[in-house]
Every structure is written in structure tokens, then in C-alpha cells.
Amino acid sequence: NKGKHRHFMEKEIYEQPEAIGHVLAHYVGLIENNADPIPSFDFASIPSLAISACGTAYLAGLIGKYWFERYARLPVEIDVASEFRYREIPLSPQSAALFISQSGETADTLASLRYCKKLGLKIGAIVNAAESSIAREADAVFPILAGPEIGVASTKAFTCQLAVLAVLAISAARHRGTVTENEVQALVRSLAEMPRIMGQVLNSIQPKVELLARELSKYHDVLYLGRGTSFPLAMEGALKLKEISYIHAEGYAAGELKHGPIALIDKNMPVIVIAPFDRIFNKTVSNMEEVAARGGRVILVTDEKGATASKLDTMHTIVLPAVDEIIAPMIFSLPIQLLAYHTAVFMGTDVDQPRNLAKSVTVE
Ligand code: M6R
């Protein structure tokens, strides 16, 4: 039942404040009460963590890597499951591995889980479908509590996967003694703000995003740029746009621009720059200036502080509330998802069932 929405994808985008609320109610209470949300994972003693997943779930894992490494000082080995399982990665049996999957049935992700299990690693599953193969074969299951996701393009599962990864990273940091108790409490307070801020963003950005989507639907190629956790988000934006609107899109680390993609810049390829006002904002702005100097059209997705700090004349600027760094990827996902959605609606594609795609990929 789509309710008042035209598509399941739209409904699922708008369900995110509530879905994230469920994640927080389940996990954050555990952190606050000093209980361990990860009893079978001894994060304090593992030398490293492996993460494997496909598509959007992989991109959530990549953002998780930034958090585990930054907050918990835990090295993370991550790859798409189809590469992970064949790469012969030297993994220590003392390590743990996390597998992320909405459906819990993705063939390559399940195969990489079995591969790690054979090597003796502790297995954790971050899944939406609690009754799935991946959940059944794991030592510990971390449900993302997103509720059914029908649209082939993953939206609420992505932000709920991120929320669970953030909680696990904070919990790991606490166990490893790499953050103070005050820092833990500050991070938890930021997480708790998410449902309210997400609701506020969803209520305010639609007219602007629709305007932009109408324009975007006229182009054949789009480049997404981001740094830090906005880099995987840039790849997620490109994936979302291509899978439902069929417009060719690429996500790049902003710093890689001059190592190749800058040759493509002209007025026919809009460049979407995802840049919250964080400690690397200025670096991203200088990449944006390089694009503008070559006649490229910049669409800036930033926050209030970033919009004030950047003097660049953009084609469009989407301004979000300024938020703490840990929740920025979830908040910035919203305009990225809505932009892909409205562009696809303008193009007249089958948004919930894009051509050639299946919701669950059970063959390798
Ligand atoms: O069910 P899973 O999370 O394991 O699925 C992984 C990918 O197939 C999935 O995220 C895919 O990339 C989505 N269609 C992206 O929107």
C-alpha cells in the first residue's frame, strides 16, 4: 500500500524519520544504559574488521569504515562481495566480519560470509530481513528495523544501515577506549537528533529538488563529487540516479577530479557536489572552483554554514540544516534520494521496478 504516495520509493523516502527512530530506540538505549549491543563481538580485542556487501549496502559499509577507523581506531578491510570472496585477503581468524544486506539473500554477500566463517572469523549480519539466510548463518544479527522495502532502489534501508553502523562504531570506540565517555554521550545526542532533522528536511526541500530534477532530466551525464564520508555518498547518488532514471552518472572522490574526470567538464555535464561544512569543506570548495573555472555547472548540496562560506556562483544550491559530522551522511542522503526520484518521475521511467533490475539478487 503506497498510501498517499505515487510510488513505494517515495513512500520509503518519507518513512525515514520514523524508521531511524526505531533504530535509535532499539540500539541507543543500549549504549546509554551501558549495555552492549554487540555481546558476541569483542570489539576491544579484534585486530581488524572486514566488511562485505553489494550495491547500496556496500556504500553504507564504506561510510562505516570511516567511522570505525576514526572513532574506534579499528582498521577495516572492505570490498564488494563479488571481489571480497575471490581476492584471497589475508584475514586473521581473530578478526570479525560484518555483512550488510537489506534482503539477507544476496548470493555474493552470503558466499563471502561463508568464506569468512570457514576461516574462523566472528560473523555479524546487518540485515533488514531477520528471517534470511545471511541472518541465520551469522553469530550476531543486527536488525536495521526499516520495515519492508518494496522499491528496487534502496532508500530507507541505506540510512538505517548507516544508523546501525554508527551505533556499532561508537560502541566499538567505547570498548576500545578510543573515545571519552563525554564524547560517546555527545555522539549519542547527535544521533538522537536525526528523526527530527530528517522530518524538517523532508518537509522543506521538495519544491527546490523538483525544480532541479526537471533540469537534470535534460542531461545525459552527471558527475557526483564528495570527500570523506561524502565520497561514498557521491557514489550512492550516482547509483540511485542511474538505476531509476537511466541517466549516466559517476561518483568520484573530489580530490580525484584532476586525475582524470576534469577532462569531461563542460556545460553539458552537471556536477553535484556534496559538501557539508566539515573539516575538509575548503578542500571540496577548491575542487568546485576548478569545475566552475572550466565552464562546468555546479549543483552544491551543503548546509547553512557551507552556503555562507562558499562564494561560488552555482547552478543550484540545496541548503540543509548544519548538523554534527556523524549524522551528516544520513541527512545528506535525503536530497540525494529525492533528486534521483523526481528526475526519474520526470523521465517517466518505472521508478519502483527499473528495467533489468531485481530487488534481491540471488545469483552471482
Ligand atoms: O539486499 P541487499 O542489500 O544485499 O542488496 C544489495 C544490492 O543489490 C542493492 O543495494 C542494490 O544496489 C540496490 N538496487 C540499490 O538501490
Side-chain angles (χ1 to χ4, degrees), residues 70-323:
R70 177 173 177 192
Y71 297 112
R73 311 301 301 148
L74 181 59
V76 175
E77 170 65 62
I78 174 165
D79 210 338
V80 290
S82 54
E83 291 299 317
F84 186 99
R85 58 185 289 204
Y86 296 119
R87 259 179 54 203
E88 302 184 33
I89 308 169
L91 294 166
S92 151
Q94 274 78 47
S95 292
L98 286 175
F99 301 88
I100 311 168
S101 175
Q102 188 287 129
S103 63
E105 299 296 345
T106 300
D108 280 317
T109 309
L110 181 58
S112 47
L113 180 155
R114 289 178 178 156
Y115 171 77
C116 285
K117 207 169 180 176
K118 235 191 198 150
L119 293 176
L121 281 78
K122 264 268 183 285
I123 309 294
I126 299 180
V127 290
N128 199 25
E131 299 300 319
S132 56
S133 308
I134 290 176
R136 264 193 305 277
E137 297 193 23
D139 301 310
V141 180
F142 308 112
I144 64 164
L145 308 164
E149 191 182 65
I150 311 291
V152 164
S154 186
T155 52
K156 63 175 179 171
F158 178 63
T159 48
C160 288
Q161 285 159 355
L162 287 178
V164 171
L165 284 162
V167 169
L168 294 186
I170 295 170
S171 184
R174 180 193 246 171
H175 279 82
R176 296 168 71 82
T178 50
V179 286
T180 64
E181 202 45 42
N182 279 346
E183 285 165 336
V184 169
Q185 293 313 325
L187 289 166
V188 165
R189 272 198 304 279
S190 301
L191 294 183
E193 294 270 12
M194 265 193 297
R196 182 184 62 76
I197 299 172
M198 284 184 141
Q200 184 188 331
V201 169
L202 288 170
N203 282 333
S204 61
I205 57 170
Q206 178 159 347
K208 177 99 197 177
V209 169
E210 259 188 273
L211 204 74
L212 175 54
R214 188 185 288 275
E215 251 173 88
L216 212 59
S217 64
K218 296 180 195 137
Y219 290 90
H220 297 293
D221 305 279
V222 178
L223 183 64
Y224 287 73
L225 298 178
R227 268 177 197 267
T229 53
S230 299
F231 163 42
L233 200 53
M235 291 196 276
E236 169 62 6
L239 172 60
K240 216 91 298 174
L241 187 70
K242 68 185 124 186
E243 75 174 328
I244 57 170
S245 75
Y246 315 146
I247 294 174
H248 167 240
E250 300 281 341
Y252 256 93
E256 279 289 292
L257 183 68
K258 36 173 132 21
H259 300 285
I262 199 162
L264 295 170
I265 302 293
D266 64 14
K267 61 180 184 354
N268 299 317
M269 187 182 65
V271 180
I272 301 183
V273 181
I274 305 171
F277 190 76
D278 54 17
R279 62 208 159 101
I280 41 183
F281 176 78
N282 286 336
K283 304 270 177 202
T284 311
V285 166
S286 71
N287 301 127
M288 222 162 67
E289 285 163 352
E290 288 159 6
V291 172
R294 283 155 187 86
R297 303 202 162 155
V298 174
I299 296 160
L300 173 62
V301 185
T302 186
D303 53 33
E304 286 144 357
K305 288 187 194 159
T308 315
S310 146
K311 301 279 169 282
L312 201 78
D313 203 12
T314 59
M315 175 173 155
H316 280 280
T317 302
I318 296 181
V319 185
L320 303 177
V323 295

Side-chain angles (χ1 to χ4, degrees), residues 29-71:
L30 290 171
I31 294 195
E32 278 169 340
N33 301 328
N34 244 334
D36 191 352
I38 40 170
S40 46
F41 263 75
D42 188 5
F43 268 119
S45 63
I46 54 174
S48 63
L49 180 67
I51 302 182
S52 174
C54 299
T56 287
Y58 162 70
L59 296 171
L62 256 188
I63 293 179
K65 171 184 165 81
Y66 282 84
W67 289 331
F68 279 111
E69 294 188 337
R70 177 173 177 192
Y71 297 112

